[in-house]
Amino acid sequence: MKKEVLKGRVIESLPDMTFKVELENGETILAYLSGKMRINFIKIVTGDEVLVEISPYDKKRGRIIKRL
């Protein structure tokens, strides 16, 4: 299974380092912060542009891998 990587914008911050992200194609997904970003204390706030890795099993969930 190949993971899909898309660009999006954070529209809402939720508890436990999860975020609602609006993708370029107009879909809204639930995304969590990747482990490397947690370890390096990279902060994400509403309005940030991010790269999201979409799960091949559930298209409504993803993982934020980079802040742009």
Side-chain angles (χ1 to χ4, degrees):
M1 286 279 171
K2 186 172 188 235
K3 294 181 181 172
E4 193 176 353
V5 177
L6 296 173
K7 197 189 309 188
R9 182 179 300 277
V10 175
I11 56 173
E12 188 180 349
S13 179
L14 301 169
D16 296 331
M17 298 289 228
T18 57
F19 302 90
K20 277 192 179 176
V21 177
E22 185 177 5
L23 302 175
E24 285 183 323
N25 58 13
E27 290 182 40
T28 302
I29 65 165
L30 190 66
Y32 65 93
L33 210 54
S34 73
K36 287 278 188 188
M37 291 185 73
R38 286 180 195 224
I39 289 170
N40 293 310
F41 302 108
I42 296 174
K43 302 296 179 199
I44 302 289
V45 293
T46 304
D48 280 349
E49 291 209 1
V50 293
L51 280 183
V52 181
E53 201 174 60
I54 307 296
S55 167
Y57 303 107
D58 185 1
K59 298 296 182 186
K60 294 292 180 189
R61 293 189 178 270
R63 177 172 62 179
I64 297 174
I65 56 174
K66 188 174 186 178
R67 187 180 80 196
L68 302 174

